[in-house]
């Protein structure tokens, strides 16, 4: 059984992320989506909100588990016995960033393979930081994030 891991901040999860999960879950036997809980940063959404929004927006994917981790990704990969780390690539910036991340991870877990899925064109400009910026200035996020994310942000009237 091939276990793939998709780590990220998902603050908040976007339709670009969901598209990567759907495609990765179609390729590998099991997909773990793991929220990096960076205790040194003040997040936009709490870890609890991010986890429950990920649960809700991935209900249609059968072979997926939602989890959280802190500390080193390498330790978490070993702990979960993951074979593959999946990352989405939007552009050259993601590519350069991922190159350094990949070298560091392979140094610590030589057996793990990294698999990169190119973003679908319609999501290539969608990022969590752009969503946070839109929310801050009361811009329209409809169609860019799952409905439950839009609803939660509205309810909490975060800005
Ligand atoms: P972000 O960069 O949006 O803050 P994360 O840190 O949560 O996102 O990233 C998790 C993974 O999802 C990374 O591999 C990132 O490159 C990828 N990703 C983020 N947004 C998209 C998108 N719109 N299309 C494809 N992959 C994406």
């Amino acid at each position: 059984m091939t276990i793939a891991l998709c780590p990220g901040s998902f603050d908040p999860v976007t339709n670009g992320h969901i598209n990567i999960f759907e495609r990765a879950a179609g390729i590998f036997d099991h997909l773990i989506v793991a929220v990096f809980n960076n205790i040194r940063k003040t997040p936009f959404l709490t870890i609890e909100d991010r986890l429950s929004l990920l649960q809700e927006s991935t209900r249609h994917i059968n072979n997926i588990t939602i989890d959280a981790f802190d500390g080193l990704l390498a330790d978490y990969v070993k702990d979960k016995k993951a074979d593959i780390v999946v990352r989405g690539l939007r552009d050259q910036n993601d590519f350069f960033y991922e190159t350094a991340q990949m070298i560091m991870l392979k140094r610590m877990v030589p057996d793990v393979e990294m698999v990169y899925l190119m973003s679908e064109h319609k999501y290539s400009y969608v990022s969590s930081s752009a969503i946070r910026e839109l929310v801050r200035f009361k811009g329209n996020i409809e169609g860019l994030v799952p409905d439950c994310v839009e609803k939660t942000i509205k309810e909490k009237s975060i800005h």
Side-chain angles (χ1 to χ4, degrees), residues 7-10 16-17 20 87-88 90 94 98 119 123 126-128:
S9 307
F10 310 115
H17 294 132
I20 297 292
R87 302 281 292 170
R90 284 161 292 197
D94 275 356
E98 291 297 336
S119 177
Y123 299 124
V126 181
S127 66
S128 298

Side-chain angles (χ1 to χ4, degrees), residues 4 9 20 36 43 54 67-69 71 75-76 80 83 89 98 104 111 114 124 129 131-132 137 140 145 152:
S9 307
I20 297 292
F36 176 53
L54 277 165
D67 194 19
F69 73 104
D75 291 335
Y76 183 72
K80 292 288 154 184
D83 307 286
L89 289 183
E98 291 297 336
M104 286 302 280
D111 290 344
M114 309 280 298
S124 60
S129 56
I131 300 299
R132 294 197 296 270
F137 295 109
N140 186 8
V145 293
T152 298

Side-chain angles (χ1 to χ4, degrees), residues 2-7 28 73 77 82-87 102 105-106 109-116:
T2 311
I3 301 175
L5 186 68
C6 191
F28 305 109
L73 175 63
V77 166
D83 307 286
I84 311 278
V85 172
V86 180
R87 302 281 292 170
M102 185 265 284
L105 184 65
K106 287 283 274 186
V109 199
D111 290 344
V112 79
E113 282 301 341
M114 309 280 298
V115 170
Y116 301 96

Side-chain angles (χ1 to χ4, degrees), residues 38-49:
N38 189 347
I39 43 174
R40 271 169 235 94
K41 272 195 187 168
T42 310
F44 171 70
L45 294 175
T46 63
I47 185 78
E48 293 78 15
D49 279 342

